[in-house]
Amino acid sequence: MSLFKARDWWSTVVGNKEEFDQGCLCVANVDNSSNGQDKIIVGSYMGFLRIYNPHPAKPGDPVQAEELLLETQLREPILQVEVGKFVSGTELLHLAVLHCKKLCVYAVSGTLGNTEHGNQYQLKLMYEHNLQRTACNMTYGPFGGIKGRDLICIQSMDGMLMLFEQESYSFGRFLPGFLLPGPLTYSSRTDSFITISSCRQVESYKYQVLAFATDASRQETEQQKLGSGKRLAVDWVLNIGEQALDICVVSFNQTVSSVFVLGERNFFCLKDNGQIRFMKKLDSSPSCFLPYSSVSEGTINTLIGNHNSMLHIYQDVTLKWATQLPHIPVAVRVGNFQDLNGVIVALSDSGCLQCSYLGTDPSLFQAPKVEARVINYEEYDAEMNKLQKIIKEGTKTKVLSLLCFHLFSFSQKAVDSEVKAEKIPSVTVKITLESRLTPLKTKLSVCVQPPLALTHDKFILELGKGKSKTVVLAAFLKGNCPPADLEGSALASYSTPTGIPRVAQCKFRFPLKLVCFSAQPSKTATQKLTIDTNKPSVSLLTLFPDFADEIDDDQPNALGFQLLAGSKITLLASKTSQRYRIQCDQFEDIWLIAKELVLRLEQYFRKKNHKDFACTFSDPIPLQEYFEIIDRHFELRLNAGKYEQLLSERAVQFRAIERRLLARFKDKTPAPLQHLDTLLEGTYRQVIALADAAEENQANMFQAFTRLKSATQLVILLISLWQKLSADQVAILEATFLPLTQDTQELGWEEIVDAAVSHLLKTCLSKSSKDHALTLANQFSIPRDTNRLKKHITLLYDRLAKGGHMSLDTDTDSQQLTMLPGGCTTILESDLEERPVSQDSTMMFTNHRHLSQQ
């Protein structure tokens, strides 16, 4: 064991349970900063790319947030990262990232920040090459002696060298006698590629041999067709008798360079012509190495890490230093940071990243003496409360509060409302903003869920110190369907005098009378739900005092609600039992009344100080009615795709007819039109008809999606009452079934919910440990039908009925997840389950129309 440990200058742990290898680390001035300081680029097999700029105030300080310049997740695993002059027309450094099937070149740039948040860094894709073959590794350099830029060579898993002249693909050649890929590097002095074959031989191939062997026709394309490429003739071969871990070329000066090869038991130094210059037998199994020029003329220093967590420094074959590392390195680099040259950067396979230097200060730790003293907890509690009060007062910069609602009397039909009713109610919302700071310019945005709309939704306010302003707006039902939610939110954004952005938020709920009015109760209905309680029934006059004037004296326990854009709902309270029944002809219309009933019951018994009140639901969950609503929405999505395809075909036909007519009109010799004008007019009418039909289908799809959200929230409510779920578990269900605020053709509700439900079934609701392995698809796409989604929802219902517990807590012994971006593959069910086939204020505001129907 070494007497000296590596002196820790800066260290961190990259990611969480990610894997790394020798190609995942690079040290270079990737953002082309004027000070020339290097940055650390780390890519992982999980697809995360991170760039660090370590600058501790003193060695060993903890990592600061601003030291992580950039963190992004790419869609594929990262095999290797390199920095070079990869973009034509410029000599700036760019970042090349190699994936299994893709090569991407990025530009890293920074923007100066004016707050304590620091500078902002962006990753811009310059170009990319899609690879037809699976990549293994890559190298770069000025191939062919080119000046001012670097070209890239990629070695595939089947032994093909693919060469890229920056934005374009050049050619590909197969390595002779190939079995398995090995390390690859480029020697600029001899203009050749050097690799280690599976025959345990070091082989060199001239770039000119590759270039001149190209066919004159050059049929290779950007996709590198599978049959392209000619086999190569080797320049020189050296048998080293063991497999190699890495290979590197280091130049002494302009005329001499050496090839270093790290084997399993030895490391070799070769001349340009393949002759052995020297070799060194290693005492332990190596894991990585890095040769670099020594300060002594004619010698090379080599850093060699091994599996004993040691780092050895050799000058040629002489061991000069040995130091202990806290981990086994898989990649080692040398960089310059904060005018500190020669910092050793080491990365382990689990993500331990350390910047260290060599020194002789022994790390001597002496345990401090324990002072026995009596702790006064009351004094500490008082001090903590005082400090928390100071912090709270310091951070309380502005209060955003909702003052009141006022339900207007029934007025004439609201402007731009699509509801087919004579009178449309509206609600006045007053929002007061108060500032305790210097004058602030505040932007206020008010949001409601469509089909609800606002007369004004955006305001710009000038707030003085210690003064308040009130904004007034009105809300009404705009769309011709019941809303899925009666909640809204107000969001105020502003900047402090120091330029730091801040946000204050307030939520509110509209009264039920905004979307419905009293009606005569109905005795018959197709959909009925019964909610049980553990307390005696409460009179509907007490629960719904805003509808008390319309309750019939003959039926005090029955109350009817007529939705402005929906059906009639009847609420019945049992006289003898502790039950409430809600009935309606439309399943999704029950949601608003059911939610309002539960909220008002909880509020009533909370005022009575009955903390043990609970609502339950014991009937089967009406999944069949829910599935019919899903099928209706999915059918409209399919129709939207068909209309889009037909419109595209008719538009192509229309343009083709126009071109022919234009050619006839330009012809000097008149010719008959041959009914082209009639065909043009007919095609035009078809385009208009299809556009109208597509627009109508889009409006129907918006209404269907709103009804689907209402039905989904009703099902979640019933499941929560049935299984007595906690608030966290209800939040998991809402995140699973309500992931989108609006529906689009590219990313729809069905495929997102299917992936989310599949994830629950494979993790917290799995039946056995074999279901824990999560395999995700590359991308989401619209399914062919809803059978699989309905199968998974039914399976979720069954597992909840059998005592399944939903939780986001991960247990490493029982849940081992592999998270990748994209969708979710089919669940592997057990054999028992079938497999799935303004007051005192001057304000400026802008009148905006609310969210249009998507």
Side-chain angles (χ1 to χ4, degrees):
M1 182 177 178
S2 173
L3 292 176
F4 308 108
K5 295 183 179 180
R7 312 308 300 165
D8 186 13
W9 182 69
W10 179 89
S11 62
T12 185
V13 177
V14 182
N16 182 20
K17 297 182 180 180
E18 299 182 34
E19 296 183 4
F20 305 84
D21 208 344
Q22 62 182 12
C24 298
L25 176 64
C26 182
V27 176
N29 184 18
V30 67
D31 59 342
N32 300 281
S33 60
S34 58
N35 55 17
Q37 291 186 7
D38 290 334
K39 313 298 183 299
I40 303 176
I41 304 101
V42 182
S44 74
Y45 285 164
M46 306 300 289
F48 286 92
L49 179 67
R50 300 174 177 90
I51 301 178
Y52 294 90
N53 181 23
H55 50 275
K58 58 181 180 179
D61 279 357
V63 179
Q64 302 298 321
E66 61 270 14
E67 293 179 334
L68 178 58
L69 304 184
L70 180 68
E71 180 179 24
T72 183
Q73 183 176 15
L74 307 179
R75 297 187 62 87
E76 299 177 11
I78 298 175
L79 303 182
Q80 190 172 346
V81 289
E82 297 292 349
V83 174
K85 303 173 183 178
F86 301 133
V87 177
S88 60
T90 179
E91 293 191 5
L92 296 178
L93 297 179
H94 290 78
L95 175 64
V97 180
L98 179 64
H99 303 286
C100 297
K101 289 287 188 177
K102 187 185 294 185
L103 171 66
C104 302
V105 175
Y106 299 94
V108 180
S109 59
T111 304
L112 293 178
N114 57 357
T115 67
E116 66 269 20
H117 299 308
N119 303 335
Q120 297 178 354
Y121 285 80
Q122 296 85 27
L123 195 67
K124 179 181 179 182
L125 179 63
M126 305 303 294
Y127 63 87
E128 65 179 16
H129 295 287
N130 294 316
L131 309 177
Q132 200 69 12
R133 302 174 184 274
T134 303
C136 175
N137 51 27
M138 69 175 175
T139 186
Y140 70 96
F143 304 163
I146 193 170
K147 302 295 184 182
R149 56 178 179 161
D150 294 324
L151 309 185
I152 298 176
C153 175
I154 299 176
Q155 180 180 208
S156 67
M157 295 296 293
D158 58 352
M160 186 178 183
L161 297 182
M162 297 172 288
L163 285 88
F164 297 87
E165 295 183 1
Q166 297 184 337
E167 289 86 352
S168 61
Y169 171 69
S170 181
F171 55 84
R173 294 293 175 264
F174 286 101
L175 295 175
F178 180 87
L179 181 62
L180 294 173
L184 177 68
T185 190
Y186 170 76
S187 175
S188 59
R189 205 187 77 83
T190 59
D191 193 22
S192 58
F193 297 97
I194 306 173
T195 184
I196 291 89
S197 68
S198 54
C199 299
R200 302 181 176 181
Q201 295 177 345
V202 183
E203 301 176 353
S204 176
Y205 300 92
K206 289 285 188 179
Y207 174 76
Q208 294 298 330
V209 176
L210 276 71
F212 289 131
T214 306
D215 291 336
S217 58
R218 291 196 64 173
Q219 297 180 355
E220 293 87 349
T221 63
E222 180 70 21
Q223 287 76 21
Q224 304 96 49
K225 297 180 179 178
L226 291 176
S228 66
K230 284 191 173 183
R231 298 189 180 273
L232 302 180
V234 66
D235 184 28
W236 54 261
V237 177
L238 175 66
N239 193 331
I240 60 175
E242 60 181 305
Q243 289 293 339
L245 302 179
D246 202 357
I247 185 171
C248 184
V249 175
V250 178
S251 297
F252 294 97
N253 48 52
Q254 296 295 331
T255 59
V256 181
S257 65
S258 295
V259 180
F260 283 81
V261 180
L262 180 65
E264 295 174 323
R265 296 174 297 274
N266 306 276
F267 84 93
F268 306 85
C269 177
L270 312 179
K271 298 181 181 179
D272 292 337
N273 57 2
Q275 297 178 357
I276 296 181
R277 188 166 171 257
F278 64 82
M279 65 175 290
K280 173 67 177 178
K281 182 177 178 60
L282 302 176
D283 296 330
S284 56
S285 178
S287 59
C288 60
F289 87 137
L290 178 69
Y292 62 96
S293 298
S294 173
V295 293
S296 301
E297 185 177 356
T299 61
I300 292 291
N301 286 357
T302 307
L303 301 174
I304 300 181
N306 57 38
H307 286 85
N308 295 331
S309 301
M310 297 286 294
L311 185 67
H312 291 169
I313 296 90
Y314 289 89
Q315 188 176 72
D316 289 346
V317 296
T318 305
L319 179 62
K320 291 294 185 180
W321 199 270
T323 184
Q324 184 78 39
L325 294 177
H327 51 77
I328 300 176
V330 297
V332 61
R333 300 291 185 269
V334 174
N336 302 325
F337 308 100
Q338 278 192 338
D339 299 329
L340 183 62
N341 299 333
V343 177
I344 301 173
V345 183
L347 176 69
S348 72
D349 58 352
S350 60
C352 296
L353 180 64
Q354 182 187 33
C355 295
S356 58
Y357 58 92
L358 305 179
T360 57
D361 290 337
S363 179
L364 301 178
F365 173 77
Q366 184 177 2
K369 295 182 180 180
V370 179
E371 296 181 5
R373 58 177 181 173
V374 179
I375 301 177
N376 191 340
Y377 291 99
E378 294 182 357
E379 182 181 349
Y380 281 3
D381 289 341
E383 184 180 0
M384 177 64 71
N385 294 333
K386 180 179 179 181
L387 293 176
Q388 288 181 344
K389 185 177 180 180
I390 295 175
I391 295 174
K392 185 176 180 180
E393 291 296 330
T395 57
K396 190 186 297 183
T397 57
K398 181 163 68 71
V399 176
L400 180 65
S401 59
L402 180 67
L403 287 185
C404 61
F405 292 121
H406 294 291
L407 182 63
F408 284 160
S409 59
F410 284 91
S411 59
Q412 296 299 322
K413 190 172 182 178
V415 180
D416 293 336
S417 179
E418 302 172 1
V419 180
K420 298 177 181 179
E422 296 180 358
K423 298 179 180 180
I424 305 298
S426 61
V427 169
T428 299
V429 182
K430 294 183 179 180
I431 303 175
T432 299
L433 296 93
E434 180 182 356
S435 172
R436 293 190 176 97
L437 295 178
T438 56
L440 296 175
K441 183 176 181 180
T442 307
K443 297 179 181 179
L444 175 65
S445 299
V446 187
C447 301
V448 294
Q449 293 290 334
L452 295 177
L454 301 170
T455 54
H456 304 89
D457 60 356
K458 295 187 184 301
F459 302 85
I460 299 178
L461 307 174
E462 295 288 345
L463 297 177
K465 181 178 180 180
K467 295 183 179 180
S468 63
K469 289 186 179 181
T470 301
V471 297
V472 180
L473 52 99
F476 61 95
L477 182 62
K478 180 179 180 180
N480 193 21
C481 62
D485 204 340
L486 292 178
E487 292 185 353
S489 62
L491 193 70
S493 60
Y494 61 97
S495 297
T496 62
T498 58
I500 303 175
R502 289 284 187 265
V503 171
Q505 186 178 10
C506 174
K507 293 186 177 181
F508 52 86
R509 183 177 178 84
F510 291 115
L512 186 60
K513 272 201 169 186
L514 181 63
V515 296
C516 68
F517 57 89
S518 300
Q520 198 67 23
S522 176
K523 297 182 179 180
T524 60
T526 58
Q527 305 293 334
K528 299 179 181 180
L529 296 177
T530 302
I531 297 178
D532 301 330
T533 63
N534 58 353
K535 298 295 180 181
S537 299
V538 184
S539 172
L540 298 182
L541 291 172
T542 305
L543 287 179
F544 295 90
D546 45 342
F547 293 88
D549 296 340
E550 288 81 3
I551 296 181
D552 193 352
D553 296 336
D554 298 335
Q555 296 179 325
N557 294 322
L559 182 59
F561 303 90
Q562 176 64 55
L563 296 177
L564 293 175
S567 56
K568 181 186 294 185
I569 305 102
T570 301
L571 174 61
L572 303 173
S574 176
K575 298 179 181 179
T576 57
S577 61
Q578 304 169 354
R579 296 182 174 182
Y580 302 87
R581 171 172 292 181
I582 309 173
Q583 56 188 26
C584 179
D585 291 333
Q586 298 292 333
F587 174 71
E588 65 274 12
D589 289 347
I590 301 179
W591 154 245
L592 291 177
I593 305 303
K595 180 64 175 179
E596 194 73 21
L597 174 63
V598 173
L599 289 178
R600 297 198 182 199
L601 283 173
E602 292 176 349
Q603 183 180 5
Y604 174 82
F605 286 104
R606 193 183 304 115
K607 291 181 180 179
K608 296 292 184 178
N609 201 20
H610 292 172
K611 298 181 180 180
D612 58 341
F613 170 75
C615 295
T616 58
F617 181 77
S618 56
D619 296 337
I621 304 297
L623 292 180
Q624 190 60 40
E625 292 80 0
Y626 182 48
F627 290 159
E628 292 176 358
I629 299 174
I630 294 177
D631 290 337
R632 172 59 178 164
H633 173 260
F634 185 71
E635 179 185 0
L636 292 173
R637 284 190 65 195
L638 294 180
N639 292 340
K642 295 176 182 179
Y643 283 128
E644 183 179 354
Q645 182 179 0
L646 289 174
L647 265 175
S648 177
E649 295 175 356
R650 292 298 177 267
V652 172
Q653 177 179 324
F654 187 78
R655 289 192 294 269
I657 298 173
E658 281 185 324
R659 286 194 296 268
R660 292 203 173 192
L661 279 175
L662 183 59
R664 294 291 178 92
F665 292 150
K666 288 183 177 180
D667 196 353
K668 295 181 179 179
T669 58
L673 297 178
Q674 297 179 346
H675 303 289
L676 284 177
D677 53 343
T678 305
L679 187 59
L680 180 68
E681 183 179 358
T683 305
Y684 172 75
R685 291 177 179 175
Q686 291 180 358
V687 170
I688 295 301
L690 285 173
D692 293 340
E695 186 177 4
E696 181 181 357
N697 184 83
Q698 190 74 13
N700 293 335
M701 191 166 66
F702 170 78
Q703 294 186 9
F705 184 60
T706 304
R707 296 182 183 276
L708 177 59
K709 289 194 294 184
S710 298
T712 301
Q713 294 190 91
L714 178 58
V715 170
I716 294 175
L717 175 64
L718 296 180
I719 293 178
S720 64
L721 298 179
W722 167 50
Q723 289 291 321
K724 299 179 181 180
L725 301 181
S726 63
D728 293 338
Q729 294 174 323
V730 173
I732 294 176
L733 278 182
E734 291 177 347
T736 302
F737 286 92
L738 298 170
L740 302 174
T741 58
Q742 60 182 4
D743 203 20
T744 62
Q745 191 66 16
E746 295 79 12
L747 189 62
W749 182 87
E750 286 80 7
E751 52 264 35
I752 297 295
V753 172
D754 187 24
V757 173
S758 300
H759 178 74
L760 285 181
L761 294 175
K762 285 222 172 183
T763 53
C764 56
L765 293 179
S766 61
K767 298 183 65 176
S768 60
S769 59
K770 67 179 182 179
D771 292 340
H772 291 160
L774 182 61
T775 304
L776 299 178
N778 291 329
Q779 59 184 0
F780 290 115
S781 61
I782 184 170
R784 291 177 297 179
D785 52 46
T786 59
N787 293 335
R788 180 182 174 214
L789 172 62
K790 293 187 288 188
K791 176 73 176 180
H792 290 167
I793 294 177
T794 305
L795 193 58
L796 174 68
Y797 170 78
D798 293 339
R799 293 191 180 178
L800 286 176
K802 295 177 182 178
H805 179 73
M806 290 184 299
S807 175
L808 293 180
D809 297 334
T810 57
D811 187 357
T812 56
D813 295 332
S814 61
Q815 297 184 13
Q816 297 178 355
L817 306 181
T818 303
M819 299 301 295
L820 291 175
C824 191
T825 58
T826 305
I827 301 173
L828 299 176
E829 288 93 2
S830 64
D831 295 334
L832 299 177
E833 298 167 344
E834 180 183 356
R835 290 182 177 268
V837 194
S838 177
Q839 298 178 353
D840 188 25
S841 65
T842 59
M843 68 184 68
M844 298 182 297
F845 60 86
T846 308
N847 189 355
H848 291 270
R849 299 181 62 185
H850 199 68
L851 296 173
S852 59
Q853 297 181 1
Q854 301 294 326

